[in-house]
Amino acid sequence: MKITKILSFLFLVTVLISCGGSEESDGPIIIPPAKVRAAFEMTISPTDQNVLLLDNKTVGTGEFTSEWDYGQGNGFVLDQPGIEEVRFDVDGTFSVTLKVTNEAGVTQDVQTVVVANSAGGICPNGICVTSNAGVLKDVSTTFLVGNITRASKVNSVGIDSEILKTHFSSITSEYEMKMDRMHPSQGTFDFAAADAIVNFGVANGINVHGHALIWHNATPDWVKNFSGTDAEFETMVKNYITTTVTRYKGKVASWDVVNEAIEDGSGNPLRNSVFKQKMGDDYIKKCYQWARDADPDCLLFYNDYNMASSTGKRAAMFKIVDSLGDLIDGVGAQMHINYNFPSKANIQAVADGTVSRGLKLHFAELDVRANPDNDQTSLTSERAGLQKAKFTEVVKIYNSIPLANKYALTVWGVRDNETWLTDFWGHIDWPLMFNEDYSKKPAYDGFLEGLQ
Ligand code: 9MR
């Protein structure tokens, strides 16, 4: 009873205080502005799984400003009218923030985006369903599938390095592991770009194929015009090979020690390079010996072009290879071919000659010209189909050799717009497996079909 009385008294006092006492103000009643509530909806573009559609659904009245941070390191940008379309090309987890500001203050809506290109792009509701069924490097279980790269591509996180990581199990430097780049002047080495490529491979569990220690076309001028005796020249070459192969011991799995040493002309003699002039015909053997001594576990290849299309050159190549005995592990047959040439039988002959010698085969530098006669202005579906068929043919031949002879099949470039062939032939072509926008071409499926 006592407690009830006390409570009633307190209630009465409260009512009296709240009803009376305070003086009325003279001015208008100010209602402080209410905060708006930031909110947005996000959906994946129905036409591109790497594009997110962001719809600002902020709830509130009065003036406010909306800003987006897409979580890609670029900070906030002002919201534009309509739906925002934002690309997410790189694998990872990103926070998308919508920040809304009015007089009353700031509110934010933050949502998470997960991108896995192996699962097709942006993962719906953050759930990535990865199927490796159509990924070259995963479907190819008995040999490495390679491509080329550059330091500029692996130094930054971006779609170029993602493409390599997603589809390929081996990389080759397009031009930064050649003598003109690594030994630019007497007494000076520059391994910065080569290191970046090798470290990228090692960090991502991607095989690194070294290309190419000795190549007449990437020989620096100071070597071509060497001032010194022949003996000094030989010491310099030995030091270059030893230094380079030792540097990447345990990281670079294989090297093209000598590249394109054979002349195209009749009889296919040894090219009269500065190496042949200063060290004699034996220069090739010496180079392989120095590479072998520097890293006995590294696979050593001889690499050359027109191995399928020219029987004479193929014979000259096998002659060199035979003369090297156990200093060489494999043949690198460059596959710069056309959609209609060379024949299947001639490509098969390269494989057969290599297998019969018990050597490893590297189908290197694969690109398939779709426009060798410059009679096309765009890649027609008919040509794309023929090109696809040639990819399948090459891969089938490679895939059919015994396991012990397998090593890698390396494609010479990712996107058509980056091919060396445009400059070389002076007209457009589409020799690779990806379009400029990184979408896959029929050639990619052709490669996959060759693996079946
Ligand atoms: O594709 C490469 C190109 O970007 C370089 O400028 C050039 C010189 O380093 O080498 C090109 O690659 C060649 C390869 O190393 C050997 N076989 C022929 C390739 C096309 O020229």
Side-chain angles (χ1 to χ4, degrees), residues 153-226:
K153 292 182 185 289
V154 300
N155 274 338
S156 60
V157 179
I159 192 156
D160 290 305
S161 51
E162 289 308 316
I163 289 269
L164 290 176
K165 287 194 267 179
T166 304
H167 301 277
F168 299 98
S169 44
S170 181
I171 47 171
T172 301
S173 162
E174 185 174 7
Y175 48 76
E176 289 153 313
M177 291 174 78
K178 295 171 182 168
M179 195 178 194
D180 56 349
R181 297 303 183 109
M182 296 191 295
H183 204 358
S185 57
Q186 191 147 16
T188 311
F189 288 97
D190 181 353
F191 292 115
D195 283 356
I197 291 168
V198 173
N199 292 342
F200 171 82
V202 171
N204 291 287
I206 302 174
N207 181 77
V208 184
H209 172 66
H211 170 86
L213 290 170
I214 301 291
W215 182 29
H216 66 282
N217 237 352
T219 304
D221 284 346
W222 73 268
V223 173
K224 285 186 195 154
N225 309 316
F226 190 75

Side-chain angles (χ1 to χ4, degrees), residues 148 174-175 178 211 215 218 259-260 334 336 365 412 420:
I148 51 173
E174 185 174 7
Y175 48 76
K178 295 171 182 168
H211 170 86
W215 182 29
N259 189 49
E260 301 175 14
Q334 297 178 20
H336 299 295
E365 307 188 24
W412 205 248
W420 68 286

Side-chain angles (χ1 to χ4, degrees), residues 101-356:
T101 312
N102 76 348
E103 272 182 79
V106 178
T107 59
Q108 292 194 342
D109 186 9
V110 184
Q111 299 186 41
T112 301
V113 181
V114 182
V115 183
N117 283 296
S118 55
I122 299 165
C123 303
N125 304 314
I127 299 164
C128 308
V129 181
T130 308
S131 158
N132 291 337
V135 175
L136 286 185
K137 75 166 168 43
D138 298 321
V139 177
S140 177
T141 52
T142 56
F143 65 90
L144 300 163
V145 181
N147 212 310
I148 51 173
T149 195
R150 307 170 187 171
S152 59
K153 292 182 185 289
V154 300
N155 274 338
S156 60
V157 179
I159 192 156
D160 290 305
S161 51
E162 289 308 316
I163 289 269
L164 290 176
K165 287 194 267 179
T166 304
H167 301 277
F168 299 98
S169 44
S170 181
I171 47 171
T172 301
S173 162
E174 185 174 7
Y175 48 76
E176 289 153 313
M177 291 174 78
K178 295 171 182 168
M179 195 178 194
D180 56 349
R181 297 303 183 109
M182 296 191 295
H183 204 358
S185 57
Q186 191 147 16
T188 311
F189 288 97
D190 181 353
F191 292 115
D195 283 356
I197 291 168
V198 173
N199 292 342
F200 171 82
V202 171
N204 291 287
I206 302 174
N207 181 77
V208 184
H209 172 66
H211 170 86
L213 290 170
I214 301 291
W215 182 29
H216 66 282
N217 237 352
T219 304
D221 284 346
W222 73 268
V223 173
K224 285 186 195 154
N225 309 316
F226 190 75
S227 59
T229 64
D230 289 357
E232 284 164 348
F233 183 91
E234 190 166 318
T235 303
M236 176 276 293
V237 176
K238 178 180 181 187
N239 179 46
Y240 155 68
I241 291 181
T242 307
T243 303
T244 307
V245 176
T246 304
R247 183 179 187 87
Y248 297 117
K249 195 175 159 130
K251 294 179 174 174
V252 167
S254 50
W255 272 106
D256 291 329
V257 179
V258 176
N259 189 49
E260 301 175 14
I262 304 165
E263 205 67 81
D264 289 313
S266 82
N268 298 105
L270 267 192
R271 212 180 274 280
N272 194 23
S273 68
V274 66
F275 302 98
K276 174 171 149 46
Q277 289 167 25
K278 304 260 185 206
M279 291 163 62
D281 288 5
D282 233 14
Y283 85 90
I284 298 183
K285 196 167 202 163
K286 289 175 181 167
C287 291
Y288 280 81
Q289 185 67 63
W290 296 326
R292 185 66 99 212
D293 292 345
D295 182 359
D297 297 327
C298 187
L299 296 175
L300 305 182
F301 283 83
Y302 174 78
N303 195 56
D304 214 326
Y305 60 90
N306 286 356
M307 294 295 95
S309 57
S310 163
T311 44
K313 204 163 176 192
R314 184 159 72 238
M317 181 271 291
F318 281 130
K319 206 168 146 202
I320 289 182
V321 165
D322 291 342
S323 76
L324 290 170
D326 60 9
L327 286 178
I328 191 164
D329 301 291
V331 167
Q334 297 178 20
M335 284 286 153
H336 299 295
I337 60 175
N338 298 348
Y339 73 96
N340 56 357
F341 180 84
S343 69
K344 182 179 172 186
N346 279 331
I347 299 172
Q348 185 67 54
V350 180
D352 293 346
T354 307
V355 169
S356 69

